[in-house]
Amino acid sequence: MTTRDTETLAELMSERAGKRGSGLPTWEQVGARAVDPSTGYRPSPNLLWKVASGQDVKINPPLVRAIAAAFSLPLDRVQLAAARQFIGLEVDDPFDTPPGDDDTVVRVAHAPGKTAEDMPATRQFIERAARSENEDD
């Protein structure tokens, strides 16, 4: 099992459906629940299986929203998993930013292998934003 910081969309989906005899829902059952709440788009069970199998598909916001709805998962978790799988981005906090009083969370999308030292402009932006937020209080 993967962690939320490393999971791909295929991993996220295949852990929750499609394994006959496992008690998990079939792709037909998942397809019945996969409806984009914004547009009403319904991906086919075959398309859902392809995504879960790691095949290349055309990924788009309605598909991602439909998958989130099908599994009752937070949309941002599904979006991050899709970014890892289809774009190859890592999304994390390379700066280990301490949470503020308002529990602010920092996430940065970056190429695999990049570290905080590789992103000085991003660090400066985050620090400026934090200072600005503190000055407003």
Side-chain angles (χ1 to χ4, degrees), residues 29-36 40-43 48 65-67 69-71:
Q29 292 168 325
V30 173
R33 297 190 311 250
V35 180
D36 173 15
Y41 168 70
R42 294 176 165 270
L48 295 169
R65 289 189 300 260
I67 291 169
F71 293 109

Side-chain angles (χ1 to χ4, degrees), residues 35-53:
V35 180
D36 173 15
S38 298
T39 65
Y41 168 70
R42 294 176 165 270
S44 70
N46 187 53
L47 177 59
L48 295 169
W49 173 82
K50 285 181 177 183
V51 174
S53 298

Side-chain angles (χ1 to χ4, degrees), residues 1 37 72 121:
M1 183 174 278
S72 300

Side-chain angles (χ1 to χ4, degrees), residues 93-96 110 113-124:
D93 178 2
F95 308 108
D96 295 321
H110 57 86
K114 294 287 184 182
T115 66
E117 290 74 34
D118 300 321
M119 299 179 268
T122 304
R123 178 188 292 275
Q124 290 171 356

Side-chain angles (χ1 to χ4, degrees), residues 11-77:
E11 292 165 341
L12 186 146
M13 293 174 68
S14 65
E15 291 173 354
R16 291 171 172 74
K19 297 175 186 150
R20 296 212 184 269
S22 68
L24 295 173
T26 65
W27 291 115
E28 290 78 17
Q29 292 168 325
V30 173
R33 297 190 311 250
V35 180
D36 173 15
S38 298
T39 65
Y41 168 70
R42 294 176 165 270
S44 70
N46 187 53
L47 177 59
L48 295 169
W49 173 82
K50 285 181 177 183
V51 174
S53 298
Q55 296 183 28
D56 286 334
V57 300
K58 180 182 176 190
I59 197 76
N60 56 52
L63 174 58
V64 173
R65 289 189 300 260
I67 291 169
F71 293 109
S72 300
L73 290 169
L75 179 58
D76 64 336
R77 181 177 178 188

